[in-house]
């Protein structure tokens, strides 16, 4: 551990020691990393006798209700806590409309791993070199000497999902070492990987089949686009939540360097998911459209006619081939 981080962890530990009520915040549209981090902290702080609330402005996705403690996550309440902690949020806006409640506490801490982090708290623990926020939580909770089997299992889930099951370029020797040390707490790692990473539903399987069969290729098959239209959701009884992960099948095609998934959110409004490889930066593409993310996985929102959106996305990708 670097000296600077030890000092930062000490200041976090001190802030926690001085607080009796603590609120934890995940980002909007919560993923497994942000929820795992919040719930790991929830268990850790509970073990210290703290009164802890876990807040998210959106409901926990069905697939992540398996996480230990997921039932305690609620919408932000009108309460003032001694301390608030945001996990996996690269800016105040990522907390959603709960930002006022986050700022209302006497002290604020942010723990994050995004390159795009914009400081918004009294104490910031930022490490952009790690695959997941869970890796930072592992070091913090170990520093505080309150690791347990439940916490280890949650952090392992966060690492598995944010690293694409140890496949993204953000994965280092350290990621595997952390995962190995977490596994020594004795949970069923294969079950965690199945539950949070591999498990699918018949409806989602049907949606993937529809969308993948209509995949379009451009620029000598170096760019690929899949599209989730409202009619695809209707025909398979699925929703936006079921679009997660399908794009991986597309970026895995050997010739494809940039893969886009365009998902219809409402009339003329689309959620864009971007994956890249061969040195092309997905977050750089997303930023062209006001979005953000990581080097290999990023996203943004675009409004307008579908055909115009395709043209814009193709142009930006072609410029980077
Ligand atoms: Mn994350």
């Amino acid at each position: 551990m670097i000296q600077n981080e030890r000092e930062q962890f000490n200041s976090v530990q001190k802030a926690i020691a001085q607080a009796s009520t603590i609120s934890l915040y995940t980002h909007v549209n919560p993923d497994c990393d942000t929820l795992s981090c919040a719930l790991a902290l929830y268990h850790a702080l509970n073990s210290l006798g703290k009164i802890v609330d876990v807040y998210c402005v959106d409901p926990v996705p069905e697939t992540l209700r398996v996480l230990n403690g997921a039932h305690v996550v609620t919408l932000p309440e009108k309460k003032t806590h001694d301390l608030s902690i945001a996990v996996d949020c690269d800016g105040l806006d990522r907390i959603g409309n709960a930002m006022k409640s986050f700022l209302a506490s006497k002290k604020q801490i942010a723990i994050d791993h995004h390159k795009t982090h914009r400081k918004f708290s009294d104490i910031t623990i930022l490490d952009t070199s790690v695959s997941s926020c869970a890796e930072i939580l592992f070091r913090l909770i170990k520093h505080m000497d309150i690791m347990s089997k439940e916490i280890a299992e949650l952090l392992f889930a966060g690492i598995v999902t944010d690293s694409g099951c140890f496949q993204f370029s953000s994965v280092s020797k350290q990621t595997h070492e952390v995962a190995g040390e977490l596994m020594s707490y004795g949970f069923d790692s294969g079950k965690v990987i199945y539950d949070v990473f591999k498990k699918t539903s018949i409806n989602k399987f049907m949606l993937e089949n529809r969308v993948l069969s209509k995949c379009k290729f451009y620029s000598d098959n170096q760019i690929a686009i899949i599209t989730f239209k409202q009619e695809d959701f209707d025909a398979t009884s699925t929703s936006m939540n079921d679009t997660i992960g399908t794009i991986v099948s597309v970026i895995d095609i050997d010739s494809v360097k940039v893969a886009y998934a365009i998902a219809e959110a409402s009339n003329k409004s689309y959620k864009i998911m971007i994956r890249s490889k061969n040195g092309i930066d997905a977050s750089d593409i997303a930023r062209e459209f006001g979005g953000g993310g990581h080097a290999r996985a990023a996203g943004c929102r675009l409004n307008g006619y579908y055909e115009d959106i395709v043209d814009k996305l193709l142009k930006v990708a072609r410029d980077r081939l």
Side-chain angles (χ1 to χ4, degrees):
M1 196 189 304
I2 46 172
Q3 187 58 34
N4 185 28
E5 184 170 84
R6 188 180 298 273
E7 280 162 26
Q8 286 183 320
F9 283 175
N10 283 337
S11 63
V12 168
Q13 206 169 357
K14 194 173 153 204
I16 289 169
Q18 288 170 345
S20 44
T21 58
I22 302 174
S23 51
L24 306 176
Y25 291 80
T26 72
H27 60 68
V28 297
N29 298 318
D31 62 9
C32 186
D33 190 31
T34 193
L35 284 167
S36 297
C37 289
L39 294 173
L41 262 181
Y42 170 79
H43 291 295
L45 299 175
N46 261 336
S47 76
L48 296 173
K50 307 295 174 184
I51 298 165
V52 190
D53 290 300
V54 187
Y55 293 145
C56 181
V57 298
D58 291 311
V60 174
E62 185 72 47
T63 51
L64 296 176
R65 298 215 180 118
V66 65
L67 296 175
N68 191 325
H71 62 280
V72 306
V73 181
T74 63
L75 290 171
E77 303 159 296
K78 276 208 172 112
K79 282 196 218 170
T80 307
H81 297 77
D82 297 329
L83 176 68
S84 53
I85 306 175
V87 287
D88 202 34
C89 297
D90 69 353
L92 193 54
D93 54 335
R94 288 291 284 159
I95 296 172
N97 60 21
M99 52 179 92
K100 263 193 187 154
S101 126
F102 173 80
L103 292 174
S105 64
K106 291 171 203 151
K107 196 163 203 154
Q108 297 96 34
I109 298 173
I111 304 173
D112 187 32
H113 70 121
H114 291 90
K115 280 196 295 193
T116 46
H117 190 93
R118 296 147 285 151
K119 283 196 176 161
F120 61 91
S121 54
D122 298 316
I123 302 173
T124 308
I125 308 278
L126 178 67
D127 182 352
T128 58
S129 74
V130 290
S131 69
S132 53
C133 195
E135 267 191 64
I136 309 174
L137 264 295
F138 163 80
R139 299 204 299 262
L140 174 65
I141 292 172
K142 221 182 115 177
H143 176 83
M144 294 171 72
D145 204 19
I146 41 177
M147 189 62 74
S148 67
K149 185 177 170 182
E150 297 78 59
I151 295 172
E153 185 173 8
L154 282 162
L155 296 178
F156 184 81
I159 293 173
V160 163
T161 49
D162 251 33
S163 69
C165 209
F166 305 99
Q167 294 175 77
F168 294 163
S169 59
S170 56
V171 172
S172 63
K173 177 169 169 267
Q174 184 190 294
T175 314
H176 286 279
E177 283 168 357
V178 169
E181 195 169 332
L182 289 171
M183 279 175 69
S184 69
Y185 285 84
F187 55 85
D188 183 343
S189 60
K191 183 178 182 304
V192 174
I193 292 172
Y194 175 72
D195 281 344
V196 300
F197 188 71
K198 298 184 76 170
K199 189 162 74 181
T200 191
S201 65
I202 295 231
N203 289 353
K204 184 175 175 182
F205 177 84
M206 294 300 182
L207 176 71
E208 289 191 332
N209 277 341
R210 272 179 81 97
V211 166
L212 290 174
S213 69
K214 289 182 267 187
C215 183
K216 291 217 164 63
F217 297 93
Y218 306 87
S219 300
D220 292 329
N221 302 333
Q222 295 182 91
I223 306 170
I225 298 182
I226 53 171
T227 305
F228 297 88
K229 294 222 162 120
Q230 190 56 49
E231 63 197 52
D232 297 308
F233 294 135
D234 292 343
T236 55
S237 303
T238 51
S239 66
M240 190 60 87
N241 282 335
D242 297 298
T243 61
I244 297 164
T246 305
I247 196 171
V248 173
S249 304
V250 182
I251 194 65
D252 276 349
I253 299 168
D254 56 2
S255 63
V256 174
K257 294 177 185 165
V258 178
Y260 291 117
I262 306 176
E264 189 174 7
S266 57
N267 190 27
K268 296 203 195 82
S269 175
Y270 297 87
K271 181 182 166 187
I272 315 295
M273 291 159 268
I274 309 165
R275 290 291 184 282
S276 65
K277 64 181 194 275
N278 291 48
I280 297 172
D281 192 326
S283 70
D284 180 45
I285 294 176
R287 265 196 302 275
E288 293 264 343
F289 303 107
H294 301 289
R296 298 291 166 263
C300 59
R301 287 227 165 224
L302 281 172
N303 297 319
Y305 289 105
Y306 173 77
E307 292 74 13
D308 294 340
I309 288 169
V310 169
D311 286 346
K312 282 182 196 165
L313 292 172
L314 284 176
K315 186 183 180 307
V316 174
R318 280 178 178 136
D319 285 348
R320 285 162 177 78
L321 289 179

